[in-house]
Amino acid sequence: MAKTIGIVTSGGDAPGMNAAIRAVTRVSHAKGFQVIGFERGWDGLLTNSFRRLTPRSVGGIIQLGGTILHTLRCPGFEEKGAIEKGAETLSTHGVDSLVVIGGDGSFRGALELSRKSSALMIGIPATIDNDVYGTDETIGFDTAVNTAVGTIDKIRDTAISHERIFLVEVMGRKRGFLALEVGICVGAEVILIPEKPMSLADIVRLMEESAKKGKRAGIIVAAEGCGNTSKLALEMQQQTESEVRLSILGYAQRGGGPTARSRLLASLFAEKAVDLICQGKGSMAVGLQKGEITGYDLDKAAKDKKPIDLRLLQVADMLAT
Ligand code: F6P
């Protein structure tokens, strides 16, 4: 009987997940595997919700945001007996390998499952936060950056017309990767990230310095992990001569058709994932490391903290002169 590869998309969705599902399915079939997609993240293994995936059933999805398999922030396998149930479902379907498309939280679930299942676990990093250790870039990050940049460029038009300061909150959970890249790309006057906390006094000082340079409008990009941006916007307005408005970009950053780059990463990560399976290598994640797509320890992808290049904040400061 042909070996079977399972796919699950888990955690926050990311543009490019469908491209990854498509590529895992088609490369697997090209190598003689059967493919099963489990619905709604880990929940699909607990409720045995699945669909068989063929090269035809994944046609016309490479350009779609979201995930055709749906996803859940399932608490994973915390419930008593959940790991055993998940392992049993895999065994029932003869799943020899499971490709988990998601972020670090999803990879922790895969590690838990690997304690009770003999199936090879392979993680494909897909999250707009780009906060997975071991890969320079995650699927969906480029799309979210472009979505945010396009929206903030529009906000800058009205900021200039009204000579206002806009505090723009972007996603990223507890990390600043999205804010840092978006901030540089929109020419933000200030970028606020959790990894380099800034006091209100510091922010006000930077705003006043910007005004002294003759800048009467400005964009400040803040990662959501920096805290309460509504309160900050009010305090900024109270402590400066500027009119300050808040714009929270929210869930638009999670949707939209994936960019070419997100599709390319998804397709090449997927091919590498199936290649690792063909080599019999499990408990691995796939990542982009200095231009190379490679496999690395899933445990590190799940648990290690990805470093951020704070030097880019200094570059951003110079670019905002
Ligand atoms: O992990 C992706 C992400 O969009 C984060 O940037 C954000 O903080 C979180 O998901 C929101 O979670 P939820 O979709 O469960 O509201």
Side-chain angles (χ1 to χ4, degrees), residues 12-13 73 127-129 131 171-174 178 224 251 254:
D13 66 327
R73 285 196 189 286
T127 169
I128 67 166
D129 301 344
D131 60 351
M171 283 189 157
R173 195 174 283 281
K174 294 187 171 37
L178 195 52
E224 63 179 334
Y251 288 86
R254 282 258 290 274

Side-chain angles (χ1 to χ4, degrees), residues 195-215:
E195 295 87 348
K196 188 152 187 298
M198 213 183 273
S199 68
L200 176 60
D202 287 339
I203 295 169
V204 168
R205 175 177 51 76
L206 289 171
M207 288 172 70
E208 288 168 346
E209 284 173 9
S210 192
K212 280 182 194 136
K213 293 176 201 168
K215 291 192 171 189

Side-chain angles (χ1 to χ4, degrees), residues 51 53 123 148 219 222 230 242 252 285 320:
R51 68 174 88 168
L53 293 174
I219 298 285
S230 303
S242 305

Side-chain angles (χ1 to χ4, degrees), residues 163-305:
E163 297 182 324
R164 283 171 170 167
I165 302 293
F166 272 81
L167 177 64
V168 182
E169 179 188 303
V170 298
M171 283 189 157
R173 195 174 283 281
K174 294 187 171 37
R175 302 304 306 274
F177 296 100
L178 195 52
L180 188 48
E181 185 149 326
V182 168
I184 289 173
C185 294
V186 299
E189 276 61 41
V190 179
I191 302 171
L192 303 175
I193 60 175
E195 295 87 348
K196 188 152 187 298
M198 213 183 273
S199 68
L200 176 60
D202 287 339
I203 295 169
V204 168
R205 175 177 51 76
L206 289 171
M207 288 172 70
E208 288 168 346
E209 284 173 9
S210 192
K212 280 182 194 136
K213 293 176 201 168
K215 291 192 171 189
R216 303 181 64 79
I219 298 285
I220 296 177
V221 174
E224 63 179 334
C226 287
N228 184 334
T229 47
S230 303
K231 178 171 174 284
L232 177 58
L234 199 57
E235 290 168 340
M236 286 162 61
Q237 172 146 308
Q238 286 166 346
Q239 300 211 13
T240 65
E241 303 292 312
S242 305
E243 259 197 289
V244 180
R245 290 290 187 274
L246 171 66
S247 193
I248 298 177
L249 300 192
Y251 288 86
Q253 298 163 91
R254 282 258 290 274
T259 58
R261 178 153 185 86
S262 288
R263 299 180 200 192
L264 182 67
L265 274 190
S267 303
L268 299 184
F269 279 7
E271 190 278 330
K272 185 65 185 176
V274 179
D275 177 54
L276 290 169
I277 288 168
C278 292
Q279 296 177 53
K281 292 181 178 174
S283 294
M284 300 284 280
V286 175
L288 178 69
Q289 296 177 359
K290 295 186 175 51
E292 293 291 315
I293 290 177
T294 184
Y296 64 105
D297 192 348
L298 184 63
D299 194 78
K300 295 184 82 61
K303 298 172 186 170
D304 288 14
K305 185 172 182 177

Side-chain angles (χ1 to χ4, degrees), residues 23-52:
V24 170
T25 301
R26 289 190 171 178
V27 173
S28 299
H29 275 274
K31 293 179 180 287
F33 292 101
Q34 296 296 310
V35 181
I36 285 183
F38 292 97
E39 305 271 357
R40 291 184 300 283
W42 294 122
D43 195 56
L45 272 70
L46 304 182
T47 60
N48 194 27
S49 307
F50 67 97
R51 68 174 88 168
R52 292 212 167 274

